[in-house]
């Protein structure tokens, strides 16, 4: 067992854990980020819709409204520093009846109370001018130009990468199973048999925050997964809107949205359904039908022929639906960051700051580092380069000329970079580079990526997984072909 | 910046690209052929089963053997081959077309050409585009990916396999996997009849007692990390009979559910596509909506036999030569219309002075069918067909002597096809 005692151990490397880690990396404290999956951002955050909310959906009295507004404002700076794709495309709420317009008025008042800038109640003409893709039956709506879109995984990867650059250690495949208080620090044990010691522990374990709290002897609460199913549609989809389009919200959810992604694909969803199983990521024909019916009601040109794929994600919800971010009342130096569902991604930068302040109040000494480097270079993407830039790049590294993923135009060099950054599963590489995310869904590039991973890491192809655990891809290497190859050599 | 100049650039060095390049080069035109893979032949090298070339060479060849017939000729002819080279952008609405190419071997460069042949082939439809419900574990492959892994790289993807869709690649893989020691537990087909060729149903399934479930649908994929099982539901009287849902435990799913012409490059160049085929709209010369840009093979429409791909590509090569010589420019063309019981017809136009060759697919399964071709009210031809089904493409020739020059408002009357 290592005798090192970290100042802070953060449990869970989703958008909250990553944001907290990155925030703390600006200070002279030692931090370890613990993740049960094979890679960071493999849990709740992976299936996030990627919307940076404007801040009009929640009442001013809630913690989430405060952190949402604050978080939204922080994205320009973060985007500048970390270079993940981010666009303030704006959000539209489309109302289809006089009744719904009343809710729009309410959202407007709530947004103004929360301090949302540039919020506008729109007439039918105004909303159709902003969004010609809308169903002409629209009667009006709300326009929030400060709403935006990101790719959740690239945001989390960037936060973690920058945190690592500034000294944060990351341990993946570390499933926390027990927390034991010993003197002035916690001993954090993992199911895999590893141990980490830390003076402070942050519980940002998403769906499992309740179980983590329990195994530290802290508060008892119950996280209920709320499942959301979504569809991804191809680039240049006919229904691609200029803004994120929301319906008028229901009681518990923001409804089925039409989302233009930063990469130019189109996303529709999510549904909202409370379930029991924290691992239930199944999609069902009934829910996907619901998504299509509601999305095409708002944007009639959306076509089923343009589907790339569907997926499901789980929101970790608490009774009352607000965020639960505070020091444990039962255990010292244990900070709860739980119930972070929508707008958790938007709020995450503010959550990082908020948790940093909580830690400070709990006695963690925070001295700013003189050598903190807040920047990450822009990732090179062959797809986005001008011909002349690509020409120069290939001269320096011919691997940029080898297009491995034809659908998303991802080069071998980009895949090697992802591997060097520690993403060694197929999904890790997919989320980092987009290889395998396009129309063929990996039919043409999977074998190439397997070979590159194996070459770069010396992991035999049979041991490479889709996303860690038992997600093996290849059963075995065939012996008879080896024999044939041998014969050919003779 | 490196720019290279050719009469013709062929994009894709599979069966279509090679045959058209050879045809064009044989007349002395300066041809370049590019392919993203490090070898010639496209998908053929991984198709190690036999049955290729029966029509073209009157022999049963394997995929690699069939490819080799063309590869050896390409190498002996004056054709510039650029491998490991991906076309990333085309500018085609101009007399000299320009294609941007990205290559690990040759760097980033541009090719200027008077004509372009699109021969990029197709891709497999997959679980994602079909929206099959359930979880998203490892162990879900397209049949072609599994074929590649097994036949070229020597990797067995799983032990207990269920194949979704009765397309030819899936059937071939059922047999191949069985030979390799995997257990193939069934082939699930949504339609009441198989999608693949009859010979493959017999030789790949019946010979190995692999059950074929017609009118059945995969209603759920189970498994968290790796595929654990699939739920299968029969369709009875047009609806799912959920009471009869059954489960097969397996670790691998192969999808063989059809192919889609790969035209993202075509589309981004502003060339018009045919929604029925997914390929570009072409006139009687196999020329797309961009003057001087031709298409052939699976990028145009999905073929069931490679022989037909090669044949279409050879014809396409001839048309490219006529275009280069300026011969076909003035020829009047009329529309081709797709009538009852036909899915599509290629090409989408006909001409009077030169022989027309049409490829088409039926929407129905029928013995002793008749293809009726009309110009206005005039019957051009009645073609008796012994047996038609959606899985098997058929061809018809319409010669200049079959046609008359009848016009309405200066336009040739459409040539109407229907199947009865």
């Amino acid at each position: 067992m290592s005798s090192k005692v970290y100042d802070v151990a953060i449990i869970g490397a989703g958008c909250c854990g990553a944001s907290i880690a990155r925030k703390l990396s600006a200070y002279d404290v030692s931090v370890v980020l613990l993740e049960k999956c094979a890679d960071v951002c493999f849990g709740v955050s992976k299936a996030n819709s990627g919307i940076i909310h404007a801040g009009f959906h929640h009442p001013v009295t809630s913690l989430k409204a405060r952190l949402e507004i604050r978080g939204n404002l922080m994205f320009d700076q973060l985007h500048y520093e970390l270079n993940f794709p981010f666009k303030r495309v704006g959000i539209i709420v489309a109302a289809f009846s006089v009744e719904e317009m009343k809710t729009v008025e309410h959202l407007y008042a709530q947004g103004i109370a929360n301090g949302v800038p540039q919020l506008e109640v729109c007439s039918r003409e105004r909303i159709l001018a902003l969004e010609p893709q809308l169903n002409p039956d629209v009667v009006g709506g709300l326009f929030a130009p400060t709403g935006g879109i990101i790719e959740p995984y690239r945001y989390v990867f960037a936060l973690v990468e920058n945190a690592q650059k500034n000294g944060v250690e990351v341990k993946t495949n570390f499933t926390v199973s027990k927390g034991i208080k010993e003197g002035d620090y916690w001993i954090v044990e993992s199911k895999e048999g590893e141990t980490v010691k830390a003076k402070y522990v942050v519980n940002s374990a998403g769906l499992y925050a309740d179980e983590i709290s329990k195994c530290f002897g802290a508060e008892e609460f119950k996280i209920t997964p709320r499942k959301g199913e979504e569809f991804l549609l191809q680039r240049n989809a006919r229904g691609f809107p200029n803004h994120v389009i929301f319906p008028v919200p229901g009681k518990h959810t923001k409804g089925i949205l039409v989302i233009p992604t930063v990469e130019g694909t189109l996303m529709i969803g999510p549904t909202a359904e409370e379930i029991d199983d924290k691992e239930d990521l199944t999609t069902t024909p009934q829910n996907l039908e619901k998504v299509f019916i509601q999305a095409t009601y708002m944007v009639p040109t959306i076509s089923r022929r343009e589907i790339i794929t569907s997926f499901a994600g789980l929101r970790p919800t608490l009774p009352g639906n607000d965020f639960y971010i505070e020091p444990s009342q039962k255990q010292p130096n244990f900070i709860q960051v739980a119930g972070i569902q929508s707008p958790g991604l938007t709020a995450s930068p503010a959550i990082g700051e908020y948790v940093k302040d909580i830690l400070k109040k709990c006695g963690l000494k925070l001295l700013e580092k003189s050598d903190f480097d807040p920047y990450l270079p822009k990732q090179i993407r062959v797809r986005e380069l001008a011909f002349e830039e690509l020409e120069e790049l290939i001269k320096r590294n011919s691997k940029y000329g080898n297009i491995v993923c034809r659908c998303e135009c991802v080069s071998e060099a980009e895949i090697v970079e992802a591997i060097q950054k520690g993403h060694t599963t197929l999904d890790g590489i997919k989320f980092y580079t987009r290889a395998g995310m396009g129309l063929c869904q990996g039919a043409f590039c999977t074998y190439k990526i397997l070979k590159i991973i194996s070459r770069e890491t010396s992991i035999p192809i049979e041991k490479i997984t889709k996303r860690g655990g038992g997600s093996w891809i290849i059963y075995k290497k065939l012996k008879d072909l080896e024999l044939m190859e041998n014969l050919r050599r003779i | 910046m490196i720019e290279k100049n050719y009469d013709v650039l062929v994009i894709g060095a599979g069966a279509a690209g090679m045959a058209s390049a050879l045809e064009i080069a044989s007349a002395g035109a300066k041809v370049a052929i590019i392919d993203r893979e490090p070898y010639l032949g496209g998908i053929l090298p991984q198709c190690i089963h036999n049955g290729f070339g029966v029509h073209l060479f009157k022999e049963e060849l394997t995929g690699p053997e069939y490819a080799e017939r063309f590869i050896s000729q390409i190498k002996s002819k004056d054709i510039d081959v650029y491998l490991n080279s991906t076309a990333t952008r085309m500018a085609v609405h101009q007399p000299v077309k320009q294609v941007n190419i990205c290559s690990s071997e040759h760097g980033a460069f541009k090719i200027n050409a008077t004509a372009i042949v699109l021969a990029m082939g197709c891709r497999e439809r997959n679980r994602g585009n079909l929206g099959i419900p359930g979880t998203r574990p490892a162990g879900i492959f397209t049949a072609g990916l599994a074929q590649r892994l097994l036949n070229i790289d020597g990797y067995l993807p799983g032990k207990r396999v269920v194949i979704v869709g009765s397309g030819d690649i899936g059937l071939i893989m059922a047999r191949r996997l069985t030979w390799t020691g995997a257990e193939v537990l069934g082939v699930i087909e949504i339609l009441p009849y198989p999608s693949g060729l009859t010979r493959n149903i017999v030789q790949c399934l019946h010979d190995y007692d692999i059950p074929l479930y017609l009118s059945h649908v995969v209603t759920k994929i189970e498994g968290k990390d790796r595929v654990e099982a699939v739920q299968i539901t029969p369709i009875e009287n047009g609806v799912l009979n959920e009471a009869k849902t059954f489960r097969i435990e397996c670790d691998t799913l192969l999808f063989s559910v059809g192919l889609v012409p790969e035209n993202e490059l075509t589309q981004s160049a502003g060339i018009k596509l045919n929604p029925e085929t997914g390929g570009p709209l072409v006139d009687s010369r196999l020329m797309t909506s961009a003057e001087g840009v031709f298409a052939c093979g699976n990028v145009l429409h999905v073929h069931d036999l490679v022989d037909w791909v090669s044949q279409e590509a050879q014809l396409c090569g001839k048309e490219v030569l006529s275009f280069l010589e300026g011969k076909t420019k003035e020829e009047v063309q009329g529309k081709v219309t797709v009538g009852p019981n036909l899915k599509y017809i290629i090409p989408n136009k006909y001409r009077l002075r030169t022989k027309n060759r049409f490829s088409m697919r039926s929407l129905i399964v029928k013995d002793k069918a008749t293809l009726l071709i009309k110009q206005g009210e005039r019957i051009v031809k009645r073609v008796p067909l012994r047996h038609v089904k959606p899985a098997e493409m058929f061809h018809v020739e319409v010669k200049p002597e079959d046609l008359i020059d009848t016009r309405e408002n200066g336009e040739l009357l459409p040539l109407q096809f229907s199947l009865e």
Side-chain angles (χ1 to χ4, degrees):
Chain A
M1 196 204 294
S2 153
S3 60
K4 175 167 181 180
V5 179
Y6 293 92
D7 291 312
V8 185
I10 302 165
I11 304 171
C15 66
C16 291
S19 184
I20 297 163
R22 199 258 181 174
K23 188 73 215 171
L24 292 176
S25 75
Y27 299 88
D28 207 3
V29 286
S30 57
V31 179
V32 63
L33 180 58
L34 307 174
E35 171 54 52
K36 74 172 168 37
C37 296
D39 206 336
V40 303
C41 200
F42 265 26
V44 170
S45 299
K46 180 176 77 172
N48 190 292
S49 308
I51 297 166
I52 302 309
H53 293 280
F56 54 80
H57 272 108
H58 305 285
V60 69
T61 49
S62 61
L63 174 61
K64 64 163 62 165
R66 267 158 45 216
L67 293 174
E68 180 184 24
I69 288 282
R70 172 81 188 131
N72 177 302
L73 293 173
M74 292 167 80
F75 267 91
D76 298 283
Q77 179 71 18
L78 276 173
H79 166 61
Y80 174 73
E81 290 172 348
L82 300 177
N83 267 304
F84 56 87
F86 164 60
K87 288 180 189 161
R88 278 200 196 275
V89 292
I91 286 171
I92 274 177
V93 180
F96 288 91
S97 68
V98 179
E99 210 46 43
E100 289 195 345
M101 270 314 277
K102 281 185 194 151
T103 311
V104 164
E105 297 284 353
H106 165 72
L107 291 175
Y108 177 77
Q110 194 163 268
I112 296 297
N114 287 347
V116 178
Q118 300 167 52
L119 206 55
E120 179 189 340
V121 175
C122 302
S123 65
R124 177 175 183 274
E125 289 65 35
R126 169 75 175 138
I127 208 112
L128 280 171
L130 283 167
E131 199 51 72
Q133 293 272 16
L134 276 174
N135 180 344
D137 292 344
V138 69
V139 299
L142 191 67
F143 177 42
T146 56
I149 46 172
I150 62 170
E151 257 186 349
Y153 23 90
R154 277 164 79 185
Y155 163 65
V156 175
F157 289 155
L159 288 170
V160 172
E161 220 170 276
N162 188 244
Q164 284 176 299
K165 197 174 180 184
N166 289 293
V168 171
E169 288 176 51
V170 178
K171 290 184 187 290
T172 50
N173 294 311
F174 192 110
T175 313
V176 173
S177 57
K178 206 170 182 190
I180 305 154
K181 191 78 182 134
E182 192 174 286
D184 64 344
Y185 59 82
W186 285 100
I187 300 174
V188 185
E189 291 179 0
S190 84
K191 206 175 80 186
E192 293 81 3
E194 268 190 279
T195 302
V196 155
K197 294 177 198 161
K199 292 177 193 157
Y200 295 84
V201 170
V202 176
N203 172 20
S204 55
L207 287 164
Y208 298 90
D210 50 356
E211 289 167 42
I212 295 295
S213 184
K214 207 171 174 183
C215 71
F216 276 77
E219 283 79 0
E220 299 224 352
F221 53 88
K222 186 173 185 290
I223 299 277
T224 304
R226 193 183 290 149
K227 189 159 82 171
E229 299 177 33
E230 301 198 53
F231 273 111
L232 186 67
L233 278 70
Q234 66 192 53
R235 280 197 181 80
N236 304 314
R238 270 170 292 169
F240 191 83
N242 303 321
H243 311 85
V244 180
I245 304 177
F246 284 66
V248 167
K251 228 177 180 178
H252 290 298
T253 78
K254 299 184 173 87
I256 306 284
L257 322 181
V258 179
I259 308 159
T261 75
V262 284
E263 286 287 343
T265 52
L266 178 66
M267 204 147 64
I268 55 174
T271 53
E273 178 192 7
E274 296 208 341
I275 57 168
D276 299 321
D277 182 356
K278 290 177 177 176
E279 298 195 342
D280 177 7
L281 291 171
T282 53
T283 46
T284 59
Q286 298 79 13
N287 281 338
L288 292 178
E289 191 59 31
K290 201 188 283 174
V291 169
F292 253 100
I293 289 172
Q294 297 186 23
T296 49
Y297 181 65
M298 294 198 295
V299 180
T301 45
I302 290 173
S303 161
R304 284 170 205 249
R305 291 179 75 140
E306 296 173 328
I307 299 172
I308 296 178
T309 192
S310 53
F311 61 94
L314 301 174
R315 312 167 181 89
T317 69
L318 279 172
N321 280 318
D322 205 354
F323 295 164
Y324 169 40
I325 309 177
E326 52 191 69
S328 166
Q329 305 297 316
K330 286 181 77 176
Q331 291 292 351
N333 299 345
F334 185 79
I335 321 296
Q336 307 277 18
V337 183
I340 314 297
Q341 51 151 323
S342 179
L345 185 74
T346 310
S348 61
I351 291 172
E353 207 176 52
Y354 193 72
V355 171
K356 184 256 310 174
D357 290 340
I358 290 175
L359 284 164
K360 198 173 171 185
K361 274 188 211 144
C362 292
L364 177 66
K365 290 216 166 36
L366 288 168
L367 287 174
E368 279 184 30
K369 272 184 203 160
S370 55
D371 58 348
F372 173 64
D373 176 3
Y375 299 106
L376 277 185
K378 192 169 177 351
Q379 246 175 285
I380 295 173
R381 297 194 166 252
V382 163
R383 175 179 201 100
E384 293 162 2
L385 294 180
F387 182 82
E388 292 73 17
E389 291 174 293
L390 184 58
E391 197 179 15
E392 281 310 306
L393 201 58
I394 299 174
K395 278 182 197 156
R396 292 211 309 271
N397 179 356
S398 67
K399 289 192 171 75
Y400 281 107
N402 180 18
I403 304 301
V404 173
C405 166
R406 58 172 79 167
C407 305
E408 292 295 314
C409 199
V410 182
S411 67
E412 182 182 350
E414 290 160 78
I415 289 163
V416 169
E417 193 201 334
I419 296 167
Q420 286 167 352
K421 296 260 167 71
H423 308 288
T424 53
T425 63
L426 267 192
D427 276 2
I429 287 170
K430 176 165 95 176
F431 292 118
Y432 195 84
T433 66
R434 293 189 67 78
M437 223 181 249
L439 287 160
C440 87
Q441 289 283 290
F444 286 117
C445 62
T446 297
Y447 75 89
K448 295 182 182 181
I449 297 171
L450 289 175
K451 284 184 189 175
I452 298 169
I453 297 175
S454 184
R455 183 191 74 204
E456 296 291 316
T457 62
S458 306
I459 303 172
I461 284 188
E462 310 92 282
K463 301 280 180 215
I464 297 171
T465 64
K466 179 168 162 62
R467 50 170 173 258
S471 64
W472 54 277
I473 297 156
I474 297 295
Y475 170 51
K476 68 169 185 185
K477 171 98 180 150
L478 287 176
K479 291 226 169 61
D480 54 346
L481 283 190
E482 279 169 10
L483 186 69
M484 275 169 59
E485 276 171 11
N486 287 339
L487 285 173
R488 204 177 300 146
R489 250 176 257 137
I490 297 161
Chain B
M1 190 192 303
I2 303 168
E3 286 190 32
K4 299 171 192 271
N5 301 304
Y6 292 92
D7 294 326
V8 185
L9 169 64
V10 178
I11 305 178
M18 290 195 296
S20 62
L22 284 171
E23 196 66 37
I24 297 162
S26 66
K30 200 178 167 207
V31 186
I33 185 165
I34 67 164
D35 198 280
R36 43 195 156 206
E37 299 303 329
Y39 47 80
L40 292 163
I43 212 73
L44 285 165
Q46 74 182 50
C47 304
I48 61 172
H49 52 284
N50 65 351
F52 299 89
V54 179
H55 298 271
L56 210 63
F57 299 112
K58 310 289 174 225
E59 278 183 74
E60 274 208 50
L61 305 172
T62 64
E65 287 168 338
Y66 186 92
E68 193 50 41
R69 301 261 166 131
F70 294 86
I71 294 170
S72 55
Q73 286 189 67
I74 294 259
K75 286 182 176 161
S76 69
K77 285 248 166 53
D78 189 17
I79 295 174
D80 286 353
V81 178
Y82 298 93
L83 296 174
N84 297 304
S85 300
T86 304
T88 54
R89 196 178 159 271
M90 293 196 294
V92 293
H93 297 283
Q94 55 206 47
V96 177
K97 289 105 186 64
Q98 190 169 61
V99 179
N100 292 4
I101 296 159
C102 176
S103 168
S104 54
E105 207 175 307
H106 310 280
F109 65 105
K110 298 188 181 194
I111 286 184
N112 300 317
T114 312
I116 291 178
V117 176
L118 304 177
M120 293 92 76
C122 56
R123 67 166 168 267
E124 300 172 274
R125 291 177 75 201
N126 55 62
R127 184 264 171 106
N129 351 121
L130 293 168
I132 308 266
T135 55
R136 268 148 290 275
I140 302 174
F141 301 83
T142 61
L145 172 59
Q147 188 181 45
R148 158 82 211 197
L149 285 165
L150 196 51
N151 291 351
I152 296 195
D153 303 309
Y155 290 102
L156 183 60
K159 290 173 284 186
R160 290 172 60 82
V161 186
V162 169
I163 297 177
V164 185
S166 59
D168 287 310
I169 316 166
L171 300 175
I172 298 285
M173 282 310 291
R175 178 176 63 184
R176 180 75 179 103
L177 286 162
T178 307
W179 284 346
T180 319
E183 233 182 308
V184 180
L185 303 158
V187 175
I188 319 298
E189 172 58 57
I190 188 170
L191 296 171
Y193 47 85
S195 306
L197 300 171
T198 308
R199 70 172 194 217
N200 285 333
I201 298 289
V202 175
Q203 294 170 9
C204 302
L205 299 188
H206 296 177
D207 288 2
Y208 300 90
D209 294 326
I210 296 169
L212 170 63
Y213 298 94
L214 295 172
S215 300
H216 279 70
V217 180
V218 171
T219 39
K220 192 172 186 182
I221 297 172
E222 296 177 27
K224 181 178 164 266
D225 286 342
R226 178 80 187 191
V227 174
E228 287 164 21
V230 281
Q231 290 183 17
I232 295 156
T233 309
I235 303 177
E236 290 174 359
N237 304 318
V239 287
L240 289 174
N241 184 346
E242 275 163 35
K244 287 193 185 166
T245 296
F246 60 99
R247 200 165 164 270
I248 301 181
E249 285 186 12
C250 56
D251 58 33
T252 303
L253 272 182
L254 253 53
F255 278 84
S256 178
V257 283
L259 302 165
V260 187
E262 200 159 60
N263 279 295
E264 280 61 45
L265 183 69
T266 318
Q267 215 172 0
S268 67
I271 292 170
K272 289 192 188 111
L273 297 190
N274 179 351
E276 211 44 71
T277 55
L281 283 165
V282 287
D283 69 9
S284 62
R285 301 167 289 176
L286 300 178
M287 191 193 281
T288 67
S289 63
E291 173 96 11
V293 180
F294 297 78
C296 58
N298 285 344
V299 82
L300 178 57
H301 59 133
V302 174
H303 297 61
D304 38 60
L305 294 177
V306 71
D307 302 60
W308 306 141
V309 169
S310 303
Q311 208 172 53
E312 183 174 275
Q314 284 163 350
L315 283 176
C316 182
K318 289 198 176 76
E319 295 295 342
V320 171
L321 290 170
S322 303
F323 167 78
L324 291 176
E325 290 161 21
K327 272 188 199 163
T328 56
K329 229 172 182 174
E330 280 79 42
E331 187 158 5
V332 185
Q333 299 191 50
K335 278 187 193 143
V336 167
T337 62
V338 183
N341 299 330
L342 285 169
K343 183 164 165 58
Y344 70 81
I345 301 169
I346 295 287
N348 310 99
K349 284 190 176 169
Y350 75 102
R351 55 194 169 187
L352 290 178
R353 277 181 282 149
T354 321
K355 188 167 77 182
N356 296 279
R357 183 175 185 274
F358 296 101
S359 303
M360 64 203 80
R361 277 182 195 269
S362 161
L363 278 176
I364 51 167
V365 182
K366 198 180 179 204
D367 287 322
K368 290 185 187 150
T370 306
L371 180 75
L372 180 66
I373 309 173
K374 287 162 78 177
Q375 247 186 326
E377 286 312 301
R378 176 180 167 269
I379 293 173
V380 174
K381 223 174 177 179
R382 269 181 202 279
V383 186
L385 299 160
R386 195 165 51 90
H387 180 73
V388 291
K389 62 175 178 176
E392 290 179 21
M393 183 195 291
F394 58 98
H395 311 276
V396 166
E397 283 191 353
V398 177
K399 297 187 180 116
E401 54 266 36
D402 299 330
L403 297 165
I404 54 167
D405 190 345
T406 79
R407 306 192 187 204
E408 205 173 79
N409 304 327
E411 302 244 334
L412 275 180
L413 281 182
L415 197 60
Q416 304 165 306
F417 287 71
S418 60
L419 191 65
E420 51 196 39

